[in-house]
Amino acid sequence: MKRILILFLLLPLWASCDQEMGTRFVNIGTGGLSGVYYPVGQGLARLLNEGSEGHKVKAAAQSTGGSVFNINAVLSGDLQLGIAQSDRQYQAYYGQAEWEAIGPQLDLRSIAALHPEAVTLVASVDSGIQQLSDLKGQRVNLGNPGSGQLGNARDVLAAFGISEADLDAKQVKAVEAPGLLQDERIDAFFYTVGHPNGNLKEATSGRVKVGILAITGPPIQALISAKPYYAPAQIFRKYYPAAAMPEVVDTVGVKATLVTSAKLDAQLAYQITQLLVEHFEEIKAMHPAFEGLKPESLLEGLSAPLHPGALKYYREKGFKVPERLQR
Ligand code: GLU
């Protein structure tokens, strides 16, 4: 009886393993088609597949609702890898925000940090919205429930004493927001994303004149001091020449990270980490949002412990791994 029970407990571990061929399947959760996660996930999947003769991995990236969805999907075993915001990684591991009711997600593991993401506030010029406090009473998309940005929108609004009830708040996917803004069906939207991206290009290059607004001031400084995962961030006009914005817009930001579950096979986690490090220059060239990446930044902004397979690789290569990631 006990043996049968153990067998059932082990079954999910075999689910992503084609026994005949010894090939392991890696599904990577990304975000909306017009964001940065999706092309980055596609690029990582391609790299994993190219080396797949040697290590027998078949990878694919799929479009999802974003960070919160991806974290939950790697924890449930539906996905083997997910891209998720550093703040969402922290909240899941410590049982905050969306995870408050269910508690700390102690099986969450990190593999690496990727590009910086800026909390981006986009508004039509005609709406008269010039700063965050002008959002009151306006039609504002905060983000879909599986996304990372929903939490960031709530955080920055709360910092200014604004609640969702003060707005005509929407919770639709980021991919739909530029169209809604151009159709004048919303006045503004939040998107936490790396720059440049197709979403903001679409939002800023239509008939309706659109601006990217600063998210700054003492309430934001207080937010950055209070939360370990927030840092100042900047968005550059050079990426969106048709936008109404200064050369540089100051805002607050987080980092995109690659997460998995403690249940992922250690050898597979090792291979994925090895790929990130050994193909670093190739990965950097995958997307302009990766421009400032340095090998050591792979370990900056993580809060869930490293997967043991990833940790093994980083140690072997002499990376300085912070103590708290070695649990
Ligand atoms: N940061 C967004 C999220 O977590 C996704 C951004 C992207 O797709 O690039 O939902």
Side-chain angles (χ1 to χ4, degrees):
M1 183 62 201
K2 230 184 192 169
R3 265 189 212 152
I4 293 176
L5 198 71
I6 289 172
L7 203 65
F8 270 108
L9 287 174
L10 288 175
L11 264 179
L13 293 178
W14 295 338
S16 60
C17 180
D18 177 334
Q19 288 179 25
E20 239 173 90
M21 309 288 294
T23 299
R24 280 163 303 177
F25 295 96
V26 178
N27 282 312
I28 310 172
T30 65
L33 295 181
S34 60
V36 176
Y37 289 8
Y38 185 72
V40 160
Q42 293 269 312
L44 292 178
R46 186 170 25 82
L47 264 187
L48 273 165
N49 288 329
E50 276 169 11
S52 135
E53 275 305 300
H55 55 243
K56 292 200 175 157
V57 174
K58 283 267 167 283
Q62 63 192 61
S63 171
T64 73
S67 289
V68 172
F69 178 94
N70 295 341
I71 288 174
N72 291 332
V74 295
L75 289 169
S76 68
D78 290 338
L79 294 172
Q80 286 69 49
L81 277 183
I83 309 181
Q85 291 176 202
S86 51
D87 53 328
R88 300 323 217 136
Q89 190 191 122
Y90 181 98
Q91 291 165 343
Y93 191 73
Y94 292 106
Q96 299 175 4
E98 272 83 344
W99 297 274
E100 200 179 324
I102 49 172
Q105 301 300 298
L106 299 176
D107 270 354
L108 188 64
R109 291 292 175 274
S110 45
I111 298 276
L114 304 171
H115 58 284
E117 298 189 270
V119 181
T120 307
L121 174 57
V122 192
S124 66
V125 171
D126 281 352
S127 68
I129 300 166
Q130 287 180 351
Q131 53 194 7
L132 205 117
S133 52
D134 297 336
L135 290 174
K136 279 186 189 167
Q138 303 275 11
R139 300 164 299 173
V140 186
N141 185 39
L142 305 181
N144 57 295
S147 74
Q149 53 268 7
L150 179 57
N152 305 124
R154 285 175 172 153
D155 281 353
V156 297
L157 287 168
F160 279 87
I162 304 171
S163 79
E164 256 174 273
D166 298 325
L167 317 168
D168 180 357
K170 320 273 181 212
Q171 295 192 0
V172 303
K173 288 186 172 179
V175 73
E176 292 169 34
L180 292 173
L181 194 63
Q182 283 297 329
D183 289 347
E184 297 173 87
R185 287 163 63 199
I186 56 171
D187 303 298
F189 71 86
F190 284 96
Y191 193 15
T192 303
V193 66
H195 293 279
N197 61 74
N199 187 291
L200 270 286
K201 281 183 186 155
E202 184 189 345
T204 55
S205 53
R207 177 186 58 85
V208 169
K209 188 82 180 157
V210 161
I212 298 179
L213 309 187
I215 304 179
T216 49
I220 297 302
Q221 280 159 22
L223 181 67
I224 292 172
S225 313
K227 306 283 183 192
Y229 39 75
Y230 279 128
Q234 297 182 315
I235 305 166
F236 300 98
R237 185 168 188 277
K238 65 174 181 197
Y239 294 138
Y240 311 109
M245 66 189 285
E247 285 307 314
V248 182
V249 166
D250 288 306
T251 183
V252 61
V254 293
K255 272 185 103 178
T257 71
L258 203 55
V259 296
T260 188
S261 154
K263 295 193 182 75
L264 187 82
D265 173 66
Q267 199 196 350
L268 189 51
Y270 181 96
Q271 287 170 345
I272 294 164
T273 315
Q274 181 178 32
L275 181 105
L276 287 174
V277 175
E278 290 182 1
H279 292 257
F280 190 76
E281 289 307 319
E282 209 175 318
I283 289 170
K284 226 175 117 166
M286 258 176 205
H287 199 285
F290 279 0
E291 203 178 273
L293 287 200
K294 295 185 189 74
E296 57 270 27
S297 62
L298 291 171
L299 289 171
E300 289 165 6
L302 304 174
S303 28
L306 284 167
H307 188 286
L311 179 60
K312 182 169 183 282
Y313 182 81
Y314 286 125
R315 275 190 182 142
E316 280 176 17
K317 292 292 150 183
F319 276 79
K320 273 206 201 96
V321 184
E323 196 63 39
R324 62 192 170 77
L325 299 180
Q326 301 192 28
R327 275 165 295 181

